[in-house]
Amino acid sequence: MSSRSGSTRDYETSGQSYDHSASPPVPESSDPETEGLIFYHMDLYGSKERFDIFPEELSGRGDRSLGDTRREFALSSEKVQRPPEAGYDLEKEVAELAKMYGLDENREKELELLEGHLEKVESRWPPARTEKAGSQGSTYNSSKSRSSVKDPSQSTKQQGLPDEASQGENQSKARADDEAEINIWSRGGLSSGGMSDEWNSQVVSEEEEEEEEEEAADVFCSTCKIPIRAFDKLFGEHKDHEVAQLPNAVESEKEEIHKNMCKLEEQIAQMENVASHLEEIFITVEENFGRQEKNFEVHYNDAVQVLAQKYEEQLDALGEEKRQKLEALYEQLVNCGKHLDTCKELTDETQELFLENDKAEFMKAAVTMVDRLEEFLKKEVDLELSTLPEFEERVIDVSEVEQLMNSINAIPAPCAPVINPQAPNAATGTSLRVCWGLFSDDTVECYQLCYKPVSNEMHSDEQAEHTLKVKETYCTITDLVPNTQYEFWVSALNASGISPPSERAVYVTAPSPPTIKSKKIRSCENAALVCWESRDINPVDSYMVELSKLTDEENDDTITESIVGIPNCEVLIHLQPAQKYHICVRAQNLGGSSERSEPVLIHTTGTCFYLNEDTAHPLLAILDDGFTISCDELENPECDLPVYDNSFTRCIAILGSLIPFPGKHYWEVEVEEDTEYRTGVAFENTPRHGHLGANNSSWCMRHIITPSRHKYEFLHSGMTPDIRITIPPRRIGILLDYENCRLSFFNADIAQHLHTFNSRFQHYVHPCFALETPGILRIHTGITTPPWTALP
């Protein structure tokens, strides 16, 4: 398991600036945005050679005067505003241009492209300027400009595609109108600045939109269900929408897909079982029909003249019933197969989706896939059998041919059936599904199934046998013992007798759910040691641990990680800090997996351990909360008391559970001012007949009360430094640092450092606690290490 955090890209509007001052210089009365622009109306879909139609003008633009530039712009604006000639045929003109450039085959397509381009030109060009008669100034005529731009026939016909001869004519005309154009521009101080600014702003806005489209999406809009840019969340249409970081959204969608995948896998397994069941029913119907048909044939052949009509009627009725049953089963089997194919198709598409590296593309596809999965899982699936394999009992009146019937030979007893080996997922903790077959044409009325538990003891034959009679070639046996082997064999029966038994097959039930030892779980900020015990008499093959990471938003039991193939009844799990986990355990054997154990909740906020009752001195009591120890009397502490192999005999002490995790570990001990005590850490093999701190396998802080003061000692091998503490601590913080070989003590109430042992711990240690006068000690675990415990 790993946590992933998305990154946010910062966008600054200053980074997307546009320098409007870079446009060509113009007179004070001219439009600062459009001056110096030259518009050539030409077919945009011709060959590359057409770009060379004005080589002299393009190459000389930098050397021409400002007046030439204004004249050309005025001429182009005047041409755009000229009304279209009467009777002008746009299609004819486009057809001629298409023929000229070899576009006859795609004429309609080129016409659509040309019209689209002209509409784009209309939206980008500023309105053309026209001079009003009888006034000094000049204004924009927007409607005329729009009509002139939208009508491609005007620009196409007036300007066309000039060749070398027409270039000179156009240049001469431009020079002749230069003086008039300068007067038009300078006479009234064009009032077009605002509209020009609006057009320039439109162009800049379109350029910004194009640049924005090129930027990659980095957040996900939860409202619209699409990836967007962070800029759109701040200023765009998604401003008020709920968004999430794209990596977090990807993880969320993956978890949602994982949930649906688990449901889908369960439904696939269920549908596979139903399909297998239907196939067995299908075969059973065929077998039963064949047996009854043969039975009819054998009995009626000797009396064919008498029973011919009845035989035909019965056989037809039986065939019709068979047909109806098979059609119903076949239809249900086909529907089951289609549903199963759809499940597998969705599974394959989902697995391919996880191979997508592009997060934005993944999110687009993931939203659709989640909707498809949810819609598919809402469909109800008919899991009930459409028909039963049994046929209607048909009675034939044989009174007329009783003598003939008596002369008919009896049906032979059937052959021995063949029992199948155990199939996957055919067992639970208390049930087994057994299947067999009959590979002969014998008539069978029913089957007799026998079973008994398998025992390794010498008198295994004395185990009680159980017998069942069934008509199908399968049977589910219930009320069995978990994780136990059973021996099965089956025989076939008809009116003539019973067949020999089949070969014996051994089936095994799934294990019972394990029981997690919650009081033996130890954890820290990044790991946990989980212990459990099996509830089965027989050993299991392995165990599987399932982790469920819990958050404030969700408290379900969605499996986020599984650890399989665990041979023993404990496992060390690496976790993430500051999280909550539900942990369950399953036992596994050849029969399958057990149900989940009861979950335990683990917090990775700090180090957690429990008190080891086996090490407690007989005078020491552990209260109901499991973390408070008390001692009521100290009379004759060395008297004859029950002695346990691992308990303290002299020092009234107890050990906590082993802390088997590297790194730092912190816990606190709440003490009373008038109580004498010891607290610290010790090795597993610290002497039980001595005092804590008096040997080289324990380190502890001791508090004793003298007539003059409270005395504090920090003991190891019976030695203590000369340290005087003026403020008696009521809450002692203990920091164990394996990596830096330190054991530190603090006054947690005032964040005061008391003392630090520097010692290389050769083994993992146990927390230890002792009382030397009547009183109580309260231990607090699962605490986040305070920042003030950091030592230089």
Side-chain angles (χ1 to χ4, degrees):
M1 296 178 294
S2 62
S3 62
R4 301 178 177 87
S5 60
S7 59
T8 305
R9 296 179 57 188
D10 297 330
Y11 291 85
E12 298 182 1
T13 54
S14 60
Q16 303 288 339
S17 62
Y18 298 89
D19 189 3
H20 300 292
S21 62
S23 48
V26 296
E28 295 180 358
S29 60
S30 63
D31 188 350
E33 301 293 341
T34 59
E35 177 132 4
L37 299 176
I38 302 175
F39 300 94
Y40 295 111
H41 300 272
M42 63 181 69
D43 183 9
L44 298 180
Y45 309 99
S47 60
K48 294 182 178 180
E49 289 76 7
R50 63 171 175 71
F51 289 108
D52 300 327
I53 57 177
F54 302 126
E56 296 181 3
E57 290 186 15
L58 292 175
S59 61
R61 279 184 65 183
D63 301 332
R64 288 180 294 176
S65 64
L66 182 61
D68 294 338
T69 303
R70 293 172 178 167
R71 280 197 304 275
E72 292 178 3
F73 178 75
L75 286 173
S76 62
S77 300
E78 183 179 359
K79 291 177 182 179
V80 171
Q81 294 184 14
R82 291 177 185 174
E85 297 180 4
Y88 179 77
D89 190 352
L90 174 62
E91 280 191 46
K92 183 177 180 182
E93 182 67 16
V94 172
E96 291 178 0
L97 292 173
K99 184 176 182 182
M100 179 184 302
Y101 287 91
L103 303 175
D104 293 301
E105 297 178 357
N106 300 316
R107 182 178 303 170
E108 294 181 0
K109 183 177 180 181
E110 295 297 326
L111 180 58
E112 294 175 359
L113 293 173
L114 180 59
E115 291 176 354
H117 171 67
L118 291 175
E119 290 178 2
K120 185 176 180 181
V121 170
E122 173 194 3
S123 64
R124 282 182 172 270
W125 284 4
R129 300 180 179 85
T130 57
E131 183 180 0
K132 290 186 178 180
S135 65
Q136 288 184 343
S138 59
T139 61
Y140 284 98
N141 190 339
S142 300
S143 61
K144 185 180 288 186
S145 174
R146 283 193 296 269
S147 64
S148 63
V149 173
K150 285 184 179 179
D151 189 358
S153 61
Q154 177 180 350
S155 59
T156 305
K157 185 173 181 180
Q158 289 181 352
Q159 288 188 242
L161 295 173
D163 52 14
E164 294 181 359
S166 62
Q167 284 185 6
E169 182 179 351
N170 291 338
Q171 292 177 2
S172 300
K173 185 176 180 180
R175 293 189 187 95
D177 295 339
D178 179 61
E179 185 176 352
E181 178 63 18
I182 293 176
N183 293 334
I184 292 174
W185 281 76
S186 61
R187 193 159 45 228
L190 294 174
S191 61
S192 60
M195 298 185 70
S196 177
D197 290 342
E198 181 181 353
W199 168 74
N200 187 60
S201 176
Q202 180 182 358
V203 173
V204 172
S205 177
E206 291 178 356
E207 292 177 354
E208 289 177 351
E209 291 177 359
E210 293 175 357
E211 291 183 3
E212 290 173 357
E213 291 176 356
E214 295 176 357
E215 295 183 6
D218 50 5
V219 296
F220 180 74
C221 179
S222 302
T223 304
C224 301
K225 301 293 185 181
I226 57 173
I228 62 172
R229 300 175 306 112
F231 185 84
D232 293 335
K233 167 61 180 173
L234 297 176
F235 305 103
E237 59 181 348
H238 306 278
K239 183 176 182 181
D240 298 327
H241 294 178
E242 182 181 355
V243 299
Q245 294 297 326
L246 191 57
N248 296 342
V250 169
E251 291 300 319
S252 177
E253 289 300 323
K254 284 184 177 180
E255 291 180 1
E256 185 67 24
I257 292 175
H258 182 74
K259 294 179 186 176
N260 291 331
M261 282 291 295
C262 293
K263 296 179 182 177
L264 190 62
E265 289 173 357
E266 292 177 359
Q267 193 170 107
I268 288 174
Q270 189 177 16
M271 293 305 301
E272 286 177 345
N273 292 334
V274 172
S276 176
H277 186 48
L278 289 173
E279 291 174 355
E280 294 173 0
I281 296 295
F282 197 96
I283 295 172
T284 304
V285 170
E286 289 282 4
E287 292 176 351
N288 290 343
F289 170 76
R291 296 188 188 104
Q292 289 206 27
E293 182 183 27
K294 185 175 180 180
N295 188 36
F296 285 141
E297 290 177 356
V298 171
H299 283 75
Y300 286 102
N301 281 340
D302 294 339
V304 65
Q305 293 180 357
V306 179
L307 300 176
Q309 183 177 359
K310 294 183 178 181
Y311 167 76
E312 292 296 333
E313 292 175 356
Q314 292 293 336
L315 187 60
D316 292 341
L318 184 64
E320 179 63 21
E321 185 178 356
K322 171 210 170 183
R323 184 187 63 79
Q324 293 176 0
K325 287 179 178 293
L326 294 183
E327 285 181 354
L329 289 172
Y330 180 79
E331 182 180 359
Q332 189 175 8
L333 184 61
V334 169
N335 293 334
C336 181
K338 290 180 180 179
H339 191 85
L340 190 59
D341 292 340
T342 304
C343 291
K344 292 181 178 179
E345 181 183 354
L346 290 174
T347 302
D348 294 339
E349 290 179 8
T350 306
Q351 291 175 351
E352 292 176 3
L353 177 62
F354 275 89
L355 299 177
E356 180 64 44
N357 294 326
D358 189 335
K359 295 181 179 178
E361 292 297 326
F362 173 85
M363 291 305 304
K364 292 179 181 178
V367 171
T368 304
M369 179 57 66
V370 169
D371 294 339
R372 287 181 61 191
L373 289 173
E374 291 178 351
E375 181 179 357
F376 178 77
L377 293 173
K378 289 179 182 178
K379 296 180 180 178
E380 296 184 0
V381 182
D382 185 13
L383 303 180
E384 298 292 332
L385 291 176
S386 59
T387 184
L388 297 176
E390 291 80 11
F391 282 78
E392 180 182 354
E393 294 292 338
R394 304 183 184 279
V395 179
I396 301 176
D397 184 12
V398 294
S399 59
E400 299 178 9
V401 289
E402 184 176 358
Q403 294 179 353
L404 292 175
M405 295 295 292
N406 292 333
S407 64
I408 296 176
N409 294 328
I411 301 173
C415 298
V418 177
I419 195 166
N420 300 337
Q422 183 172 357
N425 301 320
T428 66
T430 58
S431 67
L432 285 170
R433 180 182 175 85
V434 184
C435 301
W436 60 88
L438 186 68
F439 299 96
S440 67
D441 295 333
D442 298 333
T443 300
V444 176
E445 295 180 358
C446 65
Y447 295 93
Q448 179 177 287
L449 178 65
C450 302
Y451 67 95
K452 68 176 183 178
V454 175
S455 176
N456 296 327
E457 298 178 0
M458 297 296 294
H459 304 285
S460 60
D461 294 337
E462 297 179 1
Q463 293 285 345
E465 294 184 3
H466 303 271
T467 303
L468 298 173
K469 286 190 177 181
V470 293
K471 291 188 175 182
E472 295 82 9
T473 57
Y474 61 89
C475 183
T476 300
I477 299 93
T478 58
D479 298 328
L480 302 179
V481 180
N483 195 35
T484 302
Q485 292 182 337
Y486 287 86
E487 198 173 36
F488 291 88
W489 62 97
V490 63
S491 301
L493 292 86
N494 62 11
S496 299
I498 185 171
S499 72
S502 66
E503 295 291 335
R504 301 197 176 195
V506 176
Y507 283 50
V508 59
T509 53
S512 301
T515 301
I516 299 179
K517 301 178 180 179
S518 57
K519 289 191 175 182
K520 291 194 175 183
I521 294 177
R522 286 152 282 174
S523 63
C524 63
E525 293 184 351
N526 52 22
L529 182 64
V530 183
C531 304
W532 60 88
E533 61 183 359
S534 174
R535 294 165 51 189
D536 298 316
I537 300 175
N538 300 321
V540 301
D541 295 342
S542 64
Y543 296 93
M544 176 174 63
V545 174
E546 297 177 344
L547 308 179
S548 303
K549 184 177 178 181
L550 306 180
T551 62
D552 294 336
E553 292 79 14
E554 58 174 356
N555 287 315
D556 56 4
D557 289 337
T558 302
I559 302 301
T560 57
E561 184 177 347
S562 297
I563 305 173
V564 299
I566 303 171
N568 303 319
C569 290
E570 68 175 28
V571 64
L572 179 63
I573 309 172
H574 294 281
L575 305 174
Q576 297 177 355
Q579 301 293 336
K580 293 186 293 184
Y581 293 89
H582 265 162
I583 296 183
C584 302
V585 182
R586 294 178 187 262
Q588 295 178 312
N589 63 7
L590 293 176
S593 297
S594 70
E595 299 294 328
R596 292 186 194 174
S597 66
E598 288 295 326
V600 294
L601 182 63
I602 292 181
H603 296 264
T604 55
T605 54
T607 301
C608 292
F609 58 84
Y610 294 89
L611 298 178
N612 189 349
E613 297 181 10
D614 295 339
T615 64
H617 189 278
L619 293 177
L620 196 65
I622 303 176
L623 302 189
D624 293 339
D625 61 0
F627 292 96
T628 302
I629 60 175
S630 67
C631 179
D632 296 331
E633 59 178 354
L634 296 179
E635 296 180 0
N636 299 323
E638 298 184 16
C639 64
D640 296 333
L641 295 172
V643 178
Y644 301 97
D645 294 339
N646 200 30
S647 61
F648 285 91
T649 59
R650 184 176 182 184
C651 180
I652 305 177
I654 187 173
L655 295 181
S657 51
L658 185 71
I659 302 179
F661 313 111
K664 295 181 179 180
H665 305 279
Y666 180 81
W667 64 94
E668 293 180 354
V669 181
E670 187 177 348
V671 300
E672 295 179 347
E673 190 173 351
D674 57 349
T675 301
E676 296 183 359
Y677 56 85
R678 301 185 189 216
T679 181
V681 299
F683 287 140
E684 172 68 29
N685 61 353
T686 189
R688 302 296 194 263
H689 57 277
H691 288 280
L692 296 177
N695 47 61
N696 60 0
S697 59
S698 59
W699 297 257
C700 72
M701 171 183 174
R702 182 189 184 192
H703 171 235
I704 54 178
I705 302 175
T706 65
S708 59
R709 64 184 178 92
H710 291 269
K711 184 179 180 181
Y712 293 90
E713 298 176 341
F714 296 90
L715 297 169
H716 175 63
S717 298
M719 304 293 292
T720 179
D722 186 12
I723 297 176
R724 177 164 299 199
I725 299 174
T726 57
I727 301 177
R730 298 296 301 273
R731 197 178 182 98
I732 302 170
I734 303 174
L735 177 65
L736 173 63
D737 189 348
Y738 279 122
E739 295 178 355
N740 295 316
C741 306
R742 291 178 177 177
L743 177 66
S744 301
F745 296 86
F746 301 87
N747 185 340
D749 292 329
I750 59 175
Q752 179 187 24
H753 173 246
L754 302 178
H755 179 67
T756 295
F757 290 104
N758 292 290
S759 177
R760 182 175 299 277
F761 301 105
Q762 299 177 352
H763 310 285
Y764 290 122
V765 297
H766 296 255
C768 59
F769 313 91
L771 287 169
E772 297 185 350
T773 60
I776 61 172
L777 294 180
R778 294 184 178 89
I779 297 98
H780 300 273
T781 64
I783 304 172
T784 303
T785 304
W788 41 263
T789 60
L791 298 177

